[in-house]
PDB file of all heavy atoms in Angstrom:
ATOM      1  N   THR A 283      92.067 204.825   8.120  1.00 98.00           N
ATOM      2  CA  THR A 283      91.090 204.856   7.040  1.00 98.00           C
ATOM      3  C   THR A 283      89.844 204.095   7.468  1.00 98.00           C
ATOM      4  O   THR A 283      89.879 203.296   8.411  1.00 98.00           O
ATOM      5  CB  THR A 283      91.646 204.237   5.729  1.00 98.00           C
ATOM      6  OG1 THR A 283      91.912 202.857   5.949  1.00 98.00           O
ATOM      7  CG2 THR A 283      92.899 204.959   5.272  1.00 98.00           C
ATOM      8  N   ALA A 284      88.771 204.344   6.765  1.00 98.00           N
ATOM      9  CA  ALA A 284      87.521 203.641   7.070  1.00 98.00           C
ATOM     10  C   ALA A 284      86.644 203.646   5.826  1.00 98.00           C
ATOM     11  O   ALA A 284      86.784 204.502   4.944  1.00 98.00           O
ATOM     12  CB  ALA A 284      86.796 204.315   8.233  1.00 98.00           C
ATOM     13  N   ARG A 285      85.754 202.678   5.778  1.00 98.00           N
ATOM     14  CA  ARG A 285      84.708 202.607   4.755  1.00 98.00           C
ATOM     15  C   ARG A 285      83.387 202.649   5.486  1.00 98.00           C
ATOM     16  O   ARG A 285      83.229 202.016   6.545  1.00 98.00           O
ATOM     17  CB  ARG A 285      84.808 201.306   3.950  1.00 98.00           C
ATOM     18  CG  ARG A 285      86.072 201.187   3.145  1.00 98.00           C
ATOM     19  CD  ARG A 285      85.895 201.813   1.809  1.00 98.00           C
ATOM     20  NE  ARG A 285      87.108 201.708   1.001  1.00 98.00           N
ATOM     21  CZ  ARG A 285      87.247 202.295  -0.157  1.00 98.00           C
ATOM     22  NH1 ARG A 285      86.252 202.984  -0.666  1.00 98.00           N
ATOM     23  NH2 ARG A 285      88.359 202.190  -0.830  1.00 98.00           N
ATOM     24  N   ALA A 286      82.420 203.382   4.914  1.00 98.00           N
ATOM     25  CA  ALA A 286      81.110 203.493   5.552  1.00 98.00           C
ATOM     26  C   ALA A 286      80.019 203.401   4.498  1.00 98.00           C
ATOM     27  O   ALA A 286      80.191 203.833   3.358  1.00 98.00           O
ATOM     28  CB  ALA A 286      80.990 204.822   6.301  1.00 98.00           C
ATOM     29  N   ARG A 287      78.915 202.843   4.918  1.00 98.00           N
ATOM     30  CA  ARG A 287      77.680 202.855   4.114  1.00 98.00           C
ATOM     31  C   ARG A 287      76.589 203.312   5.064  1.00 98.00           C
ATOM     32  O   ARG A 287      76.359 202.681   6.110  1.00 98.00           O
ATOM     33  CB  ARG A 287      77.366 201.477   3.539  1.00 98.00           C
ATOM     34  CG  ARG A 287      76.192 201.518   2.564  1.00 98.00           C
ATOM     35  CD  ARG A 287      76.113 200.210   1.779  1.00 98.00           C
ATOM     36  NE  ARG A 287      75.108 200.310   0.736  1.00 98.00           N
ATOM     37  CZ  ARG A 287      74.008 199.563   0.693  1.00 98.00           C
ATOM     38  NH1 ARG A 287      73.781 198.644   1.616  1.00 98.00           N
ATOM     39  NH2 ARG A 287      73.149 199.697  -0.297  1.00 98.00           N
ATOM     40  N   THR A 288      75.940 204.422   4.718  1.00 98.00           N
ATOM     41  CA  THR A 288      75.019 205.094   5.635  1.00 98.00           C
ATOM     42  C   THR A 288      73.716 205.411   4.924  1.00 98.00           C
ATOM     43  O   THR A 288      73.722 205.915   3.791  1.00 98.00           O
ATOM     44  CB  THR A 288      75.649 206.407   6.148  1.00 98.00           C
ATOM     45  OG1 THR A 288      76.908 206.111   6.754  1.00 98.00           O
ATOM     46  CG2 THR A 288      74.754 207.091   7.164  1.00 98.00           C
ATOM     47  N   ILE A 289      72.608 205.159   5.587  1.00 98.00           N
ATOM     48  CA  ILE A 289      71.291 205.498   5.043  1.00 98.00           C
ATOM     49  C   ILE A 289      71.073 207.005   5.144  1.00 98.00           C
ATOM     50  O   ILE A 289      71.395 207.630   6.151  1.00 98.00           O
ATOM     51  CB  ILE A 289      70.183 204.766   5.823  1.00 98.00           C
ATOM     52  CG1 ILE A 289      70.239 203.269   5.535  1.00 98.00           C
ATOM     53  CG2 ILE A 289      68.806 205.342   5.486  1.00 98.00           C
ATOM     54  CD1 ILE A 289      69.279 202.455   6.381  1.00 98.00           C
ATOM     55  N   LEU A 290      70.498 207.587   4.083  1.00 98.00           N
ATOM     56  CA  LEU A 290      70.061 208.978   4.090  1.00 98.00           C
ATOM     57  C   LEU A 290      68.580 209.014   3.756  1.00 98.00           C
ATOM     58  O   LEU A 290      68.144 208.431   2.761  1.00 98.00           O
ATOM     59  CB  LEU A 290      70.811 209.817   3.056  1.00 98.00           C
ATOM     60  CG  LEU A 290      70.227 211.229   2.859  1.00 98.00           C
ATOM     61  CD1 LEU A 290      70.509 212.111   4.058  1.00 98.00           C
ATOM     62  CD2 LEU A 290      70.710 211.862   1.590  1.00 98.00           C
ATOM     63  N   PHE A 291      67.808 209.710   4.580  1.00 98.00           N
ATOM     64  CA  PHE A 291      66.409 210.025   4.299  1.00 98.00           C
ATOM     65  C   PHE A 291      66.377 211.517   4.030  1.00 98.00           C
ATOM     66  O   PHE A 291      66.825 212.318   4.854  1.00 98.00           O
ATOM     67  CB  PHE A 291      65.508 209.659   5.481  1.00 98.00           C
ATOM     68  CG  PHE A 291      64.076 210.076   5.283  1.00 98.00           C
ATOM     69  CD1 PHE A 291      63.296 209.460   4.319  1.00 98.00           C
ATOM     70  CD2 PHE A 291      63.524 211.086   6.049  1.00 98.00           C
ATOM     71  CE1 PHE A 291      61.974 209.850   4.128  1.00 98.00           C
ATOM     72  CE2 PHE A 291      62.205 211.468   5.867  1.00 98.00           C
ATOM     73  CZ  PHE A 291      61.431 210.846   4.910  1.00 98.00           C
ATOM     74  N   ASN A 292      65.857 211.907   2.857  1.00 97.00           N
ATOM     75  CA  ASN A 292      65.981 213.280   2.399  1.00 97.00           C
ATOM     76  C   ASN A 292      64.653 213.834   1.879  1.00 97.00           C
ATOM     77  O   ASN A 292      64.358 213.733   0.690  1.00 97.00           O
ATOM     78  CB  ASN A 292      67.049 213.317   1.307  1.00 97.00           C
ATOM     79  CG  ASN A 292      67.439 214.692   0.834  1.00 97.00           C
ATOM     80  OD1 ASN A 292      68.058 214.811  -0.191  1.00 97.00           O
ATOM     81  ND2 ASN A 292      67.116 215.746   1.551  1.00 97.00           N
ATOM     82  N   PRO A 293      63.825 214.438   2.776  1.00 98.00           N
ATOM     83  CA  PRO A 293      62.654 215.156   2.279  1.00 98.00           C
ATOM     84  C   PRO A 293      63.105 216.500   1.706  1.00 98.00           C
ATOM     85  O   PRO A 293      64.006 217.150   2.238  1.00 98.00           O
ATOM     86  CB  PRO A 293      61.779 215.339   3.518  1.00 98.00           C
ATOM     87  CG  PRO A 293      62.708 215.223   4.677  1.00 98.00           C
ATOM     88  CD  PRO A 293      63.872 214.404   4.244  1.00 98.00           C
ATOM     89  N   MET A 294      62.480 216.887   0.596  1.00 97.00           N
ATOM     90  CA  MET A 294      62.846 218.133  -0.075  1.00 97.00           C
ATOM     91  C   MET A 294      61.594 218.843  -0.572  1.00 97.00           C
ATOM     92  O   MET A 294      60.577 218.212  -0.838  1.00 97.00           O
ATOM     93  CB  MET A 294      63.770 217.855  -1.266  1.00 97.00           C
ATOM     94  CG  MET A 294      65.051 217.149  -0.888  1.00 97.00           C
ATOM     95  SD  MET A 294      66.156 216.864  -2.273  1.00 97.00           S
ATOM     96  CE  MET A 294      66.842 218.511  -2.480  1.00 97.00           C
ATOM     97  N   VAL A 295      61.685 220.166  -0.708  1.00 98.00           N
ATOM     98  CA  VAL A 295      60.630 220.969  -1.320  1.00 98.00           C
ATOM     99  C   VAL A 295      61.207 221.537  -2.606  1.00 98.00           C
ATOM    100  O   VAL A 295      62.257 222.189  -2.586  1.00 98.00           O
ATOM    101  CB  VAL A 295      60.171 222.114  -0.392  1.00 98.00           C
ATOM    102  CG1 VAL A 295      59.127 222.973  -1.095  1.00 98.00           C
ATOM    103  CG2 VAL A 295      59.642 221.566   0.928  1.00 98.00           C
ATOM    104  N   HIS A 296      60.543 221.252  -3.728  1.00 96.00           N
ATOM    105  CA  HIS A 296      60.967 221.783  -5.024  1.00 96.00           C
ATOM    106  C   HIS A 296      60.070 222.953  -5.396  1.00 96.00           C
ATOM    107  O   HIS A 296      58.849 222.882  -5.241  1.00 96.00           O
ATOM    108  CB  HIS A 296      60.858 220.700  -6.106  1.00 96.00           C
ATOM    109  CG  HIS A 296      61.167 221.200  -7.469  1.00 96.00           C
ATOM    110  ND1 HIS A 296      60.185 221.542  -8.371  1.00 96.00           N
ATOM    111  CD2 HIS A 296      62.343 221.446  -8.084  1.00 96.00           C
ATOM    112  CE1 HIS A 296      60.743 221.959  -9.487  1.00 96.00           C
ATOM    113  NE2 HIS A 296      62.058 221.910  -9.337  1.00 96.00           N
TER     114      HIS A 296
END
Side-chain angles (χ1 to χ4, degrees):
T283 64
R285 295 272 180 187
R287 187 167 187 244
T288 304
I289 291 174
L290 170 71
F291 175 68
N292 187 195
M294 301 182 77
V295 177
H296 175 261

